């Protein structure tokens, strides 16, 4: 049974999308992203609309003036973002005039959109819009601001910027959970450098997974819309007909890189959780369930003798995770979380994403035909419930940066220890051919448990060296060198 469900999990993950999924950036980035620590104030309190009769009746009925009011409100809260990498400074007047050289030494590489999240200048955009940039400019109402990166989350493709502004027109936010399929929505952004552009459509589907997000634990539960989204729209707003944010536009389904019928947006409920965490902690405080679920399909129904396709099937339980401590087992069918029904893997992962480590959730599940209930305490990536701060250890001589692999990832990779290579810059480490994301577990048979130990060994070792480890997808490998 366990092997069968695991096989289904692998098969689902290996599915090939017929069309190319394209994130809406203009040009590739080449330089490493500049991370900026922060001590800014916590995000200001905001009203979030819940599922009530007024919202249900009025929130999706097209007003007499169509999309005019929604466009007016949302356009003021959307900004234009330009990104640059450090280039070669000009060396002569000839180069300045004849080759367009600039004294700053920066070269423009891309553009996108962003949404003003708070009146004091916090802005949310896509991670892929600003990834790899050395300088970021935000243009709002013809005024240009230089932006700092407060935090990024590749797993949701979100990033938070900060500009020195006061009294900025922040967007009003609605809860995406109440947004029904078929509702009118507007996409607001700057496609093809055409600033302040609005397109209209409907919500075509919810809970879409299109396999474009990065990170160790990618989270995808996109809102699908047929509102036209093109390169440059990334990071812009998806709003309802009252001008309230319901999503951040992130990707398009296209074989050409331009709009071909469907776009995808990160739901606003995920956005608020991620952005608030990045502003407050500099790192998303992701909650972990301690297991993996898959959609209930025909094969699982037959295997488990089920009478319905409700819920999601528990395909894997981590050795020391929260699910195991709560008494859950492989093959259990999870029906609801805190009384809210679950119908898909994407929906399950989205509902967990709203929570924080230490939160207690109530689960209803089915085992051997019997309905049961349990409580589960969600954990952080280290299997605990405290605040997680990402610690990066960089060594200038090696020209690389490393981080310790947390408990949850070690369990998934089935390793007891390891150090991940997270960035490779200029230095002799680049010559080793080890790729970013590779987890080094042993050097010459000696277990590597923290970055400091790894750097110390590589700095002193001489002669033959064998570096063992695993890739992000769990494939084991080794590198052989002579120092």
């Amino acid at each position: 049974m366990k092997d069968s469900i695991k096989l289904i999990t692998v098969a689902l993950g290996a599915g090939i999308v017929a069309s190319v999924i394209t994130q809406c950036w203009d040009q590739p980035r080449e330089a490493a992203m500049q991370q900026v620590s922060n001590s800014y104030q916590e995000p200001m309190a905001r009203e979030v609309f819940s599922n009530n009769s007024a919202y249900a009746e009025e929130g999706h009925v097209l007003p007499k003036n169509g999309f005019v009011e929604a466009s007016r409100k949302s356009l003021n809260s959307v900004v234009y973002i330009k990104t640059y990498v450090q280039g070669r400074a000009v060396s002569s007047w000839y180069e300045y005039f004849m080759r367009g050289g600039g004294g700053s030494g920066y070269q423009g590489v891309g553009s996108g959109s962003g949404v003003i999240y708070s009146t004091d200048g916090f802005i949310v955009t896509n991670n892929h819009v600003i990834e790899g940039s050395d300088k970021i400019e935000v243009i709002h109402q013809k005024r240009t601001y230089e932006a700092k990166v407060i935090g990024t989350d590749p797993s949701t493709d979100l990033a938070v910027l900060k500009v020195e502004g006061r009294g900025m027109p922040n967007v009003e936010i609605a809860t995406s959970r109440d947004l029904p399929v078929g509702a009118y929505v507007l996409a607001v952004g700057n496609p093809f450098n055409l600033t302040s552009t609005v397109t209209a459509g409907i919500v075509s589907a919810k809970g879409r997974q299109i396999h474009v997000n990065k990170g160790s634990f990618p989270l995808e539960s996109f809102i699908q819309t047929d509102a036209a989204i093109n390169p440059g729209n990334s990071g812009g707003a998806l709003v309802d007909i009252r001008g309230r944010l319901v999503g951040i536009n992130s990707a398009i389904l296209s074989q050409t890189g331009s709009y071909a019928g469907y776009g995808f947006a990160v739901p606003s409920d995920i956005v608020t959780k991620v952005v608030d965490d990045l502003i407050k902690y500099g790192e998303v405080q992701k909650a972990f369930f301690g297991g993996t679920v898959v959609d209930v399909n025909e094969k699982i129904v037959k295997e488990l003798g089920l009478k319905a396709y409700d819920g999601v099937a528990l395909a894997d339980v981590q050795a020391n995770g929260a699910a195991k401590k709560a008494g859950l087992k492989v093959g259990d069918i999870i029906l609801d979380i805190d009384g809210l029904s679950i119908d898909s893997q994407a929906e399950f992962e989205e509902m967990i994403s709203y929570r924080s480590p230490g939160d207690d959730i109530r689960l209803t599940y089915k085992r051997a035909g019997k309905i049961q209930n349990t409580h589960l305490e969600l954990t952080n990536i280290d299997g605990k419930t405290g605040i997680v701060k990402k610690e990066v250890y960089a060594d200038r001589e090696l020209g690389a940066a490393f981080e310790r692999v947390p408990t949850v990832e070690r369990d998934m990779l089935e390793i007891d220890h390891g150090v991940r290579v997270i960035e490779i810059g200029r230095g002799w480490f680049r010559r080793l051919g080890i790729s970013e994301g590779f987890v080094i577990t042993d050097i010459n048979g000696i277990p590597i448990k923290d970055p400091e130990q790894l750097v110390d060994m590589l700095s002193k070792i001489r002669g033959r060296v064998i570096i063992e480890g695993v890739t992000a997808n769990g494939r084991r490998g080794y590198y052989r060198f002579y120092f």
Side-chain angles (χ1 to χ4, degrees):
M1 173 62 66
K2 182 174 181 179
D3 291 340
S4 177
I5 297 181
K6 281 190 173 181
L7 183 61
I8 294 170
T9 307
V10 173
L12 289 172
I16 300 175
V17 181
S19 297
V20 179
I21 305 294
T22 307
Q23 290 177 307
C24 315
W25 49 22
D26 282 318
Q27 299 181 36
R29 279 78 179 165
E30 299 176 354
M33 179 170 24
Q34 179 182 5
Q35 295 290 341
V36 183
S37 61
N38 73 89
S39 58
Y40 294 108
Q41 65 189 65
E42 295 184 20
M44 58 188 300
R46 59 176 71 246
E47 180 179 6
V48 176
F49 293 83
S50 59
N51 191 10
N52 55 58
S53 58
Y55 183 75
E57 293 174 5
E58 301 174 12
H60 310 298
V61 178
L62 190 63
K64 292 181 179 180
N65 66 350
F67 302 115
V68 174
E69 184 63 20
S71 299
R72 184 192 63 78
K73 287 180 62 177
S74 54
L75 278 169
N76 288 333
S77 300
V78 174
V79 302
Y80 181 43
I81 295 175
K82 298 178 69 174
T83 58
Y84 304 83
V85 295
Q86 183 73 54
R88 180 173 60 87
V90 296
S91 58
S92 66
W93 284 104
Y94 174 83
E95 183 175 1
Y96 183 87
F97 286 109
M98 302 302 295
R99 298 183 182 178
S104 66
Y106 287 103
Q107 300 174 351
V109 292
S111 62
S113 305
V115 179
I116 299 173
Y117 190 76
S118 64
T119 58
D120 55 346
F122 284 103
I123 292 167
V124 58
T125 185
N126 285 141
N127 176 63
H128 76 258
V129 169
I130 55 92
E131 186 176 26
S133 59
D134 294 320
K135 180 182 177 181
I136 302 168
E137 288 182 345
V138 168
I139 296 93
H140 179 246
Q141 295 177 347
K142 299 182 179 180
R143 181 175 177 181
T144 299
Y145 303 82
E146 186 164 348
K148 296 179 180 179
V149 178
I150 299 303
T152 63
D153 182 41
S155 67
T156 55
D157 193 26
L158 293 173
V160 177
L161 308 177
K162 179 69 169 66
V163 299
E164 294 304 317
R166 289 290 182 269
M168 301 186 78
N170 63 300
V171 71
E172 189 177 353
I173 300 179
T175 175
S176 52
R177 279 170 284 187
D178 294 340
L179 184 69
V181 173
Y184 288 114
V185 286
L186 304 179
V188 187
N190 306 284
F192 300 117
N193 296 325
L194 300 173
T195 58
S196 303
T197 298
V198 179
T199 57
I202 64 168
V203 175
S204 305
K206 295 178 69 177
R208 289 296 196 207
Q209 292 182 314
I210 55 177
H211 309 293
V212 295
N213 284 349
K214 304 175 183 178
S216 302
F217 301 97
L219 171 63
E220 294 188 351
S221 186
F222 289 111
I223 297 170
Q224 180 180 320
T225 176
D226 63 355
I229 296 173
N230 278 296
N233 268 115
S234 276
L238 187 72
V239 302
D240 64 13
I241 58 172
R242 293 167 67 176
R244 301 173 305 192
L245 186 77
V246 292
I248 295 295
N249 298 318
S250 183
I252 56 177
L253 183 63
S254 173
Q255 294 179 324
T256 64
S258 297
Y259 176 69
Y262 293 111
F264 300 89
V266 183
S268 59
D269 292 335
I270 294 178
V271 172
T272 53
K273 159 66 176 172
V274 170
V275 173
D276 288 349
D277 278 358
L278 289 176
I279 292 174
K280 188 173 183 180
Y281 306 109
E283 185 78 13
V284 177
Q285 301 304 305
K286 183 175 175 63
F288 286 87
F289 167 77
T292 303
V293 302
V294 295
D295 292 333
V296 176
N297 58 22
E298 186 175 0
K299 185 172 183 178
I300 291 177
V301 167
K302 291 180 179 179
E303 288 270 354
L304 299 178
L306 304 176
K307 297 180 180 180
Y309 288 79
D310 300 333
V312 290
L314 189 53
D316 182 66
V317 176
Q318 294 171 10
N320 301 303
K324 184 170 185 178
K325 292 178 182 178
L328 296 174
K329 297 180 180 180
V330 170
D332 288 346
I333 303 298
I334 299 174
L335 301 173
D336 71 52
I337 297 176
D338 291 334
L340 299 174
S341 61
I342 302 295
D343 292 319
S344 68
Q345 176 190 353
E347 192 171 68
F348 175 88
E349 293 178 351
E350 181 176 343
M351 292 187 69
I352 295 297
S353 75
Y354 304 150
R355 273 69 174 189
S356 298
D359 285 356
D360 183 85
I361 60 174
R362 178 173 54 83
L363 295 173
T364 300
Y365 64 98
K366 184 186 295 184
R367 179 186 297 169
K370 295 182 179 180
I371 303 295
Q372 303 186 48
N373 295 285
T374 187
H375 281 265
L376 181 149
E377 185 180 42
L378 299 169
T379 71
N380 61 28
I381 199 167
D382 276 318
K384 301 175 183 178
T385 57
I387 299 300
V388 174
K389 293 270 188 180
K390 187 173 183 177
E391 296 181 0
V392 176
Y393 187 88
D395 186 83
R396 182 175 298 178
E397 183 178 345
L398 294 181
F402 311 92
E403 67 176 357
R404 182 182 60 85
V405 180
T407 304
V408 172
E409 289 191 67
R410 294 203 304 269
D411 288 345
M412 293 184 66
L413 293 172
E414 298 181 343
I415 57 177
D416 296 324
H417 50 268
V419 171
R420 178 184 288 106
V421 181
I422 61 171
E423 186 177 334
I424 299 175
R426 296 179 179 177
W428 70 262
F429 196 88
R430 179 183 293 274
R431 300 198 299 269
L432 301 183
I434 298 176
S435 59
E436 293 179 358
F438 187 77
V439 176
I440 298 174
T441 58
D442 301 86
I443 297 179
N444 285 352
I446 300 174
I448 302 300
K449 299 183 178 181
D450 58 65
E452 292 87 344
Q453 178 194 10
L454 182 147
V455 170
D456 184 64
M457 286 192 65
L458 290 181
S459 299
K460 297 178 180 178
I461 203 165
R462 295 293 182 272
R464 191 178 73 167
V465 177
I466 298 177
I467 297 178
E468 301 175 65
V470 294
T471 62
N473 60 8
R475 181 176 298 177
R476 296 185 179 272
Y478 68 92
Y479 295 83
R480 192 187 304 268
F481 308 100
Y482 285 89
F483 290 94

